[in-house]
Amino acid sequence: QVQLVESGGGLVQSGGSLRLSCAVSGSISSINVMGWYRQAPGKQRDLVASITSNGQTGYAESVAGRFTISRDNAKNTLYLQMNNAKPEDTGVYYCAEMQDWGISSWGQGTQVTVSS
């Protein structure tokens, strides 16, 4: 099993940018799909972006065109570049190792707050 640790969260003004990182213990090269989930206050945890081992990406409609997910297998790190942040992007962001049956590993989460 892998261990995931998120960092980079914080306070950003609407329209600003933030980059989240997810450090993975061991190698991520063997992990086919990784993703970022977001849990807003009072809401369920939803997928916002995913990426495969060969760089195929997918995004929730709410973040498409503003967020970019990437992975650096050599550094065992997953990233989420958040541009043109909006107040509705506020929430706890979680890094995840994804399987066809569900999520095999979660990070502890990092708080992102976007002010208007």
Side-chain angles (χ1 to χ4, degrees):
Q1 286 190 321
V2 299
Q3 185 177 69
L4 313 174
V5 180
E6 301 95 333
S7 63
L11 176 65
V12 63
Q13 289 190 309
S14 181
S17 298
L18 201 64
R19 188 176 78 160
L20 307 183
S21 298
C22 172
V24 182
S25 63
S27 177
I28 66 170
S29 61
S30 62
I31 303 175
N32 288 329
V33 186
M34 299 191 73
W36 286 97
Y37 285 73
R38 177 174 66 206
Q39 186 164 23
K43 298 183 179 180
Q44 68 175 10
R45 190 176 302 181
D46 293 323
L47 178 67
V48 298
S50 63
I51 186 168
T52 67
S53 59
N54 62 359
Q56 299 274 69
T57 59
Y59 298 92
E61 185 177 5
S62 61
V63 307
R66 299 187 298 113
F67 290 8
T68 302
I69 187 172
S70 62
R71 61 193 290 173
D72 188 332
N73 290 342
K75 296 181 179 179
N76 295 322
T77 304
L78 179 73
Y79 302 97
L80 183 67
Q81 179 66 46
M82 304 169 58
N83 293 330
N84 191 23
K86 301 179 179 180
E88 52 263 43
D89 295 326
T90 293
V92 179
Y93 285 72
Y94 298 87
C95 178
E97 178 187 9
M98 303 170 66
Q99 307 290 344
D100 55 3
W101 50 264
I103 308 301
S104 56
S105 299
W106 290 104
Q108 86 288 349
T110 186
Q111 176 71 44
V112 172
T113 302
V114 183
S115 62
S116 60

